[in-house]
Amino acid sequence: MTMRNMTSSGTASSRGIAAIVGVGPNLGRSIARKFAHEGYTIAILARDLERLSRLAEEIAREKMSQVFAIRIDCSDTKSVREAFESVLSLGFVEVLVYNAYYQPLPNNCWNPISFQHLTLDTFQKSLAVSSLGAFHCAQRVLPAMVERGKGTILFTGCSASLNGITGYSQLCCGKFALRALAQCLASEFQPQGVHIAHVIIDGVVGPPRQRGSIGDQQSSEETMDPDAVAQTYWQLHVQHPNAWTQEIDLRSSTSRVL
């Protein structure tokens, strides 16, 4: 089974579907929570269906909303196609957030890899997840958005989207390509009513803040609050068409500017 429905006791949303691709315990979760809070039916997608189902149940219970957990492997074209068959069966996808990236090491640990030791498999998978997966996901939802003359697609980038970084060739090349894709799609589809934006996260997004807890001030200086970042994704979605943002960069107030 690739899709699980976690439905609260609330009524179905009169709004469209918000599909969040690449959902973990931090930013992806917070984006899903924000759009659920605003009344959207949510489809959250990631590789680990068991963990995803737990997040879906939590969000559905907290926000009294419908949340669907759908397995996807963004490096696998067939998996993306099958996942979005499930997503599209739910209704009109008004919002797509592509937040996926290739994680080569356990525990989300990113260590630099010398180019001489970078394997072809790692390089190809990083490119596939960062850019090819985004290409496939966008192709699945754009026809209905264009037909209705509305919709939002938000791509998550990072500082590697702008600058090459020693030891991170695979990440930089994938994120460079994602940024180019976002620019091309914005140029083509924004005149047709579809808002497409690229969000550069210049920093480390940590877990949601425990307000008032010991160490909260210290942690806030070291990582970005995913709930605060998710608020920006929502603001991009509701921007007036006469003042659409195509690219925005976010960082903590204590971080150095790029």
Side-chain angles (χ1 to χ4, degrees):
M1 185 177 187
T2 60
M3 178 170 73
R4 296 180 184 174
N5 177 10
M6 304 300 174
T7 307
S8 73
S9 59
T11 59
S13 171
S14 60
R15 288 186 158 182
I17 309 299
I20 320 298
V21 180
V23 174
N26 297 335
L27 180 57
R29 170 182 174 272
S30 290
I31 294 171
R33 289 178 67 250
K34 177 59 181 176
F35 278 85
H37 177 76
E38 298 295 340
Y40 280 83
T41 295
I42 305 299
I44 56 175
L45 299 93
R47 286 187 299 176
D48 188 339
L49 186 58
E50 291 301 320
R51 183 180 68 174
L52 201 63
S53 297
R54 291 193 294 271
L55 288 174
E57 183 177 9
E58 170 197 307
I59 296 167
R61 182 175 60 250
E62 177 187 348
K63 300 299 181 181
M64 298 295 289
S65 59
Q66 285 190 311
V67 184
F68 296 83
I70 302 172
R71 187 187 182 281
I72 192 172
D73 180 350
C74 293
S75 68
D76 184 334
T77 300
K78 181 182 177 182
S79 175
V80 175
R81 183 178 67 250
E82 291 176 348
F84 270 84
E85 287 175 358
S86 297
V87 173
L88 295 173
S89 72
L90 303 175
F92 169 53
V93 178
E94 184 179 332
V95 180
L96 169 66
V97 176
Y98 193 83
N99 187 54
Y101 66 96
Y102 178 58
Q103 182 179 318
L105 297 170
N107 302 319
N108 199 21
C109 179
W110 275 94
N111 292 321
I113 303 173
S114 168
F115 184 75
Q116 292 177 307
H117 299 126
L118 180 63
T119 65
L120 178 61
D121 181 67
T122 296
F123 189 79
Q124 288 180 328
K125 284 185 176 178
S126 184
L127 284 176
V129 173
S130 293
S131 54
L132 189 58
F135 164 84
H136 286 303
C137 292
Q139 273 204 332
R140 306 298 290 182
V141 302
L142 270 167
M145 291 181 176
V146 171
E147 180 182 347
R148 288 165 174 78
K150 69 174 184 178
T152 301
I153 299 178
L154 305 175
F155 297 106
T156 300
C158 61
S159 54
S161 305
L162 302 177
N163 301 295
I165 304 172
T166 301
Y168 295 94
S169 299
Q170 74 285 4
L171 177 65
C172 295
C173 290
K175 289 299 186 180
F176 268 60
L178 179 66
R179 186 187 187 209
L181 177 66
Q183 292 176 353
C184 292
L185 295 184
S187 176
E188 181 174 355
F189 293 104
Q190 287 194 170
Q192 301 179 62
V194 182
H195 185 192
I196 298 169
H198 181 235
V199 183
I200 299 171
I201 309 295
D202 182 24
V204 176
V205 179
R209 300 283 185 261
Q210 298 295 323
R211 305 297 179 187
S213 63
I214 297 175
D216 179 57
Q217 182 177 357
Q218 180 180 1
S219 65
S220 67
E221 294 176 354
E222 296 173 351
T223 63
M224 300 171 69
D225 183 352
D227 290 342
V229 177
Q231 181 67 29
T232 296
Y233 281 72
W234 172 254
Q235 291 168 348
L236 287 169
H237 172 54
V238 298
Q239 278 184 329
H240 193 282
N242 284 338
W244 272 349
T245 296
Q246 196 280 312
E247 184 169 83
I248 187 171
D249 57 293
L250 307 176
R251 64 182 59 82
S252 167
S253 61
T254 60
S255 299
R256 291 186 302 105
V257 177
L258 290 173

